[in-house]
Every structure is written in C-alpha cells, then in structure tokens.
C-alpha cells in the first residue's frame, strides 16, 4: 500500500542501476531499478478533471503511466506526480490543495514504488550509465534503410557491440548496426565495416530521398544521407531538356532525380557494384530510357562519351538547354579537371559553355580559397570572378566538404587555333623562346586511377 513520501527516497528517473557501469555485453535485466515517486489517491469518477486541474504536477517521463491501480481500493486510482515538482516536505501548495478540495481529494502526498526497466531509458541514458564516467557518449548515426551506420571513437570500441544493440533496440525499423573500420580510400568508394549487432547477411537496403526510392548493397557502394540537401540543390538548378553529365554517379542520387525532371543524363561510375545498382535504380524509378549509364574510369568517361556529346551540343547555333557536369568525388575530383584543358576542337556555337560542379575536401583555414586555387592549378587559368565556392558540410574537425561551380572558360576547353597564313614567319624574340631545358607548360603528368 502507498505510504507517505520520504524526502530521502530515490527520485532519479533518468539513471539506470549503477551495476551496469562497464558492461560490454548487453544485459537488459540489469538496468531494472525501483524509484519512489509522489502520488495522489483519487476516485475514478473525477480522474480526468483532477488531472486537467493539476497538469503541471503530473509525472512527465515519456513512456511511463501517470495513472496506476490503487492496490488498497478498487474504486480509486493513484495519479503519479513529478518528484521534481513536489517540495522536500511532501506538501502541496495552497492553490493545489484548494483545487483538490473541490474534488473531495485528500492533499496527502503518498509514495509509490515505480519499477523502471531497460525499456524506460533513452539511448543516451543507457550509454552514459555503461561507459566510464567522464567519457564522451556518441548516440549519432546515419540511417540507411534498416541499417544504422556508426563512426565510433576509439574509447567506445570496447563497448561497440552493446552500443550497436542499444541503437537497434531504441530505434524502430533498424535491424542492423555497423561501424566503419577504415576511411574511404578505394577506387570504388566503399569502406570496410564491422557488423556490431543484428542481421549480418542482409546489407541490401532501401532508402527514400525526396520521394525517390533507391536500393543498393551498402557494404559495396557509397551512400551518404547527409548529402540529401546537396543532391536537391544541384538538381534544383536543372530544367527539362538540360544535360547532366555525372562523372562519379554512385547509385544515382543526382542522375535519377535529374532524369525525373526530364533532363538528358549521362551517368558513370567505376565501381561495378555502383554501376549495377545505378542501372537498377533507373529501372526502379522508370527513367532507364532517359539515362545513359557507363562503367568507366572518370577520365575515360570525360574524354569519351562526354567529349562527344559536348562537341555535338556546343556546335549548335540555337541551343536552348544548359550543360552541367557533376564531379562528386571530393577526395580527388579536382585532379580530374585538367581533362578539360583543350578537350575540344573548333569554336563554340554559343557562349553558354558547360558548368562544372566539382567537390573537394579541404583542411585549410580558408577552404574556399584553397579549393579555388587547386582548381585553377589543374585548369591552368584564373577563376577569379568566374566561380562560386560553397560549403557543403563539415566532415570532421578542421575538414570541410566544398563545392566549386564554374562555366568552363573557352580558353581552357578549346584548343588554340592555328596561326593565320604568314604568321608562322614571325618568330618570338630569342629571350622569350622556350629553351630546350625548360618544360613546356602544356606538359601535365598522368593522373592516377580514380580513387575515393
């Protein structure tokens, strides 16, 4: 039977039992504890009115019942109150007492032994109770369909399997938790991962982004839900009939929505798995007839299909549609920009040249300047006043993901025209001629194969 509230009772609703400290294998039963909360005994027929009148005093903990049976009286119920709202002497204020008097309810505050279990605690409360005191608790993760993708710190690794299981338990719909075990450094832009908890066999998942569905094997391709806004930002620039050349297309987060907008899309990825799921997602979203899909190195894609399409489009005198080239491989996309140097012969039919959207990481104090200078070095020309550099997201402390957008300058894209007849007889002064020991400015070293 409920008793008078003891001011020394355990009122902590937010902390599991201290015995869970240091646990590395999840034991849900060990989190159970009893706390004492204040309660009022109220007749059943006035319950709703009383609760409405003392709303500010009610127990506020999500997931806990505010009304429980009174074991000593079937005609009454116990209303559980917030222990932090009741004074140490367990007395209610005069205003509350007057309210209760109007409903013939005793103002006597009783104590009720409330059992809290693992299910009643939040993720951060569980992990704060388990990890050593004073250590940082990270509860953030990326959700990729049914998979939770974590990037755990070194001090959290001994508890990684417990952390993974807690994340699954507390987030409906998740059935698997993985931790990245190395950086994205392969040519195929995937990374090694460890399954922390849940299903190990099923890495094929489904996600939705801006009402478009994508399916892929997360263990074999690249997907980052934090780029959702950037995908929308770029596709928002496109109009029906525009051309999009996606050099590092992945599973299609730029290509598919562009095709949905009735753009003409050329999409490429070196990773055979990404190529497979890119084709799959085009069919899944019924745009497979609008997207030309390639499985090439980025440089070969630019020097082949993209060059051919640009020559055709730029030769048109009355072209109405814009040309966009997306290069989302921030670890090294800038190194591919030299492909555009003298890529085309002849002259453009219009001044509306292709716009490049190139992504890059930067660890410099001035990331925008850093990215612009590196792009200029690869292009061999200044972009001052001809480009925009925007922050996409903060990747890590002192590491930013940036996007530089610019129309390719004509002097970069087109080969220099031969000198007019007779001009070859005019020679530069000897002081300006290239000495045999000097390197030609046109010489550029061959780039490595595409990596991430």
């Amino acid at each position: 039977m409920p008793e008078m509230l003891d001011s020394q009772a355990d009122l902590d609703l937010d902390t599991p039992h201290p015995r869970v400290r240091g646990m590395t294998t999840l034991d849900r039963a060990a989190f159970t504890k009893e706390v004492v909360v204040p309660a009022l005994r109220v007749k059943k027929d006035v319950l709703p009115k009383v609760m409405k009148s003392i709303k500010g005093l009610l127990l506020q903990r999500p997931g806990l019942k505010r009304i429980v049976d009174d074991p000593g009286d079937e005609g009454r119920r116990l209303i559980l109150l917030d222990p932090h709202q009741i004074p140490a002497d367990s007395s209610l204020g005069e205003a509350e007492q007057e309210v209760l008097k109007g409903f013939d309810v005793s103002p006597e505050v009783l104590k009720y032994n409330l059992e809290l279990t693992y299910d009643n605690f939040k993720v951060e409360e569980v992990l704060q109770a388990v990890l050593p005191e004073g250590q940082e608790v990270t509860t953030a993760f990326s959700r990729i369909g049914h998979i939770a993708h974590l990037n755990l710190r070194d001090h959290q690794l001994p508890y990684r399997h417990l952390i993974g299981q807690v994340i699954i338990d507390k987030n409906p719909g998740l059935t698997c938790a993985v931790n990245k075990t190395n950086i994205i450094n392969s040519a195929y832009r995937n990374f090694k991962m460890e399954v922390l908890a849940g299903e190990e066999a099923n890495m094929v998942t489904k996600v939705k982004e801006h009402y478009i569905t994508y399916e892929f094997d997360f263990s074999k391709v690249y997907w980052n839900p934090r780029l959702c806004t950037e995908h929308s930002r770029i596709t928002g620039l496109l109009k029906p009939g525009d051309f999009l050349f996606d050099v590092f297309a992945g599973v299609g987060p730029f290509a598919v929505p562009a095709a949905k907008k009735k753009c003409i899309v050329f999409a490429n990825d070196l990773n055979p798995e990404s190529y497979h799921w890119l084709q799959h997602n085009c069919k899944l979203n019924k745009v497979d007839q609008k997207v030309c899909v390639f499985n090439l190195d980025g440089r070969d894609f630019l020097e082949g299909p993209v060059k051919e399409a640009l020559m055709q489009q730029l030769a048109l005198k009355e072209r109405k549609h814009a040309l966009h080239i997306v290069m989302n491989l921030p670890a090294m996309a800038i190194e591919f920009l030299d492909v555009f140097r003298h890529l085309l012969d002849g002259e453009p039919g219009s001044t509306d040249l292709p716009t490049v959207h190139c992504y890059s990481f930067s660890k410099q104090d001035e990331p925008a300047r850093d990215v612009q200078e590196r792009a200029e070095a690869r292009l061999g020309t200044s972009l001052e006043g001809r480009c925009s550099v925007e922050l996409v997201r903060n990747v890590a402390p002192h590491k930013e993901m940036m996007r530089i957008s610019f129309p390719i300058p004509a002097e970069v894209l087109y080969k220099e025209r031969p000198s007019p007849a007779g001009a070859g007889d005019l020679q530069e002064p000897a002081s300006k001629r290239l000495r045999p020991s000097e390197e030609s400015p046109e010489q550029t070293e061959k780039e490595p194969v595409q990596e991430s």
Side-chain angles (χ1 to χ4, degrees):
M1 178 174 290
E3 304 172 11
M4 291 294 294
L5 186 66
D6 182 354
S7 61
Q8 302 300 316
D10 182 2
L11 306 179
D12 190 354
L13 301 173
D14 305 328
T15 306
H17 197 286
R19 62 172 165 256
V20 303
R21 181 75 66 192
M23 179 187 292
T24 55
T25 301
L26 183 60
D27 177 4
R28 297 176 181 84
F31 287 81
T32 302
K33 68 179 256 187
E34 274 196 357
V35 296
V36 178
V37 297
L40 291 174
R41 181 180 281 118
V42 180
K43 292 179 181 180
K44 290 195 295 184
D45 57 352
V46 295
L47 266 174
K49 294 180 180 179
V50 172
M51 291 188 67
K52 185 176 180 180
S53 300
I54 60 169
K55 186 176 180 180
L57 297 179
L58 299 179
L59 183 66
Q60 299 298 322
R61 179 78 180 177
L64 293 180
K65 294 181 179 180
R66 295 173 176 177
I67 302 174
V68 296
D69 292 337
D70 183 349
D73 189 342
E74 291 186 1
R76 298 176 186 268
R77 295 289 184 268
L78 297 177
I79 297 179
L80 305 186
L81 307 179
D82 186 345
H84 302 293
Q85 299 296 326
I86 305 301
D89 62 3
S90 305
S91 62
L92 297 177
E94 291 184 7
E96 289 83 5
Q97 292 189 36
E98 284 297 320
V99 169
L100 295 177
K101 185 177 179 181
F103 296 109
D104 194 24
V105 174
S106 170
E108 179 184 51
V109 179
L110 309 174
K111 69 176 183 180
Y112 179 81
N113 292 327
L114 177 66
E115 183 180 76
L116 298 177
T117 69
Y118 171 78
D119 293 335
N120 297 126
F121 296 108
K122 303 174 185 177
V123 174
E124 56 269 24
E125 293 168 347
V126 171
L127 299 185
Q128 284 172 355
V130 169
L131 269 64
E133 290 187 76
Q135 287 197 359
E136 179 187 4
V137 173
T138 300
T139 59
F141 62 91
S142 295
R143 184 166 190 153
I144 301 94
H146 67 280
I147 302 170
H149 173 212
L150 293 82
N151 288 324
L152 297 179
R153 306 288 179 85
D154 289 343
H155 72 271
Q156 298 166 335
L157 293 179
Y159 308 92
R160 62 190 184 278
H161 297 294
L162 180 147
I163 293 172
Q165 188 59 58
V166 172
I167 294 292
I168 292 175
D169 289 346
K170 302 295 183 179
N171 293 275
L174 291 180
T175 60
C176 178
V178 301
N179 183 46
K180 185 168 70 173
T181 58
N182 71 341
I183 61 174
I184 301 173
N185 59 4
S186 72
Y188 293 161
R189 272 206 301 181
N190 50 19
F191 53 83
K192 292 182 180 179
M193 63 178 69
E194 177 186 13
V195 177
L196 304 180
E199 301 175 354
E200 294 192 27
N202 184 17
M203 288 291 110
V204 175
T205 189
K206 178 187 292 188
V207 300
K208 277 196 173 183
E209 187 176 278
H210 300 299
Y211 306 103
I212 294 176
T213 300
Y214 302 90
E215 294 178 346
F216 48 84
D217 186 334
F218 185 57
S219 67
K220 296 179 180 178
V221 304
Y222 178 79
W223 179 269
N224 190 340
R226 293 187 176 93
L227 295 177
C228 173
T229 300
E230 184 63 18
H231 298 153
S232 177
R233 185 179 292 121
I234 295 300
T235 54
L237 301 174
L238 305 175
K239 297 178 181 178
D242 285 352
F243 279 72
L244 176 70
F245 303 96
D246 194 348
V247 185
F248 312 108
V251 299
F254 288 113
V256 174
K260 282 281 189 182
K261 293 188 70 171
K262 299 182 179 180
C263 295
I264 300 167
V265 180
F266 288 60
N268 172 73
D269 204 279
L270 177 63
N271 182 351
E273 285 290 329
S274 295
Y275 171 71
H276 163 72
W277 290 106
L278 175 59
Q279 291 180 307
H280 174 84
N281 289 322
C282 288
K283 292 179 181 178
L284 182 66
N285 291 281
K286 300 179 181 179
V287 295
D288 49 304
Q289 299 302 313
K290 301 176 183 178
V291 182
C292 298
V293 181
F294 301 86
N295 181 209
L296 300 170
D297 175 80
R299 188 173 293 274
D300 294 336
F301 176 62
L302 289 167
E303 293 176 339
V306 175
K307 176 181 178 179
E308 182 178 347
L310 290 181
M311 289 175 62
Q312 293 175 355
Q313 292 301 309
L314 292 174
L316 300 176
K317 299 293 184 181
E318 299 292 330
R319 182 171 57 85
K320 298 180 180 180
H321 303 303
L323 309 172
H324 292 265
I325 302 172
V326 174
M327 304 175 69
N328 182 22
L329 186 65
M332 62 181 302
I334 278 183
E335 298 177 19
F336 287 77
L337 290 179
D338 67 289
V339 173
F340 297 116
R341 297 178 69 170
H342 303 163
L343 180 66
L344 304 182
D345 296 311
E347 294 181 348
S350 70
T351 58
D352 185 15
L353 296 178
T355 298
V356 171
H357 309 280
C358 183
Y359 295 84
S360 180
F361 294 130
S362 177
K363 295 182 179 180
Q364 301 302 312
D365 293 336
E366 297 184 67
R369 178 180 294 276
D370 169 53
V371 170
Q372 180 176 330
E373 289 178 350
R374 287 192 285 125
E376 290 172 338
R378 303 305 297 185
L379 293 168
T381 192
S382 172
L383 294 175
E384 193 64 34
R386 299 192 283 184
C387 71
S388 65
V389 186
E390 305 290 340
L391 172 67
V392 176
R393 71 184 188 97
N394 175 256
V395 178
H398 310 296
K399 184 178 182 180
E400 315 292 348
M401 180 177 176
M402 311 294 292
R403 170 178 36 83
I404 181 169
S405 298
F406 59 90
I408 307 175
E411 70 269 21
V412 172
L413 187 59
Y414 287 90
K415 296 178 181 178
E416 295 180 7
R417 298 182 63 186
S419 300
D425 297 331
L426 300 176
Q427 293 186 344
E428 293 184 60
S431 61
K432 292 187 178 181
R433 293 176 189 164
L434 187 67
R435 295 187 177 89
S437 60
E438 293 178 334
E439 236 183 13
S440 167
E442 296 298 322
Q443 291 177 332
T444 58
E445 62 181 12
K446 186 174 180 62
E447 290 301 322
V449 295
Q450 174 186 344
E451 295 182 356
S452 300

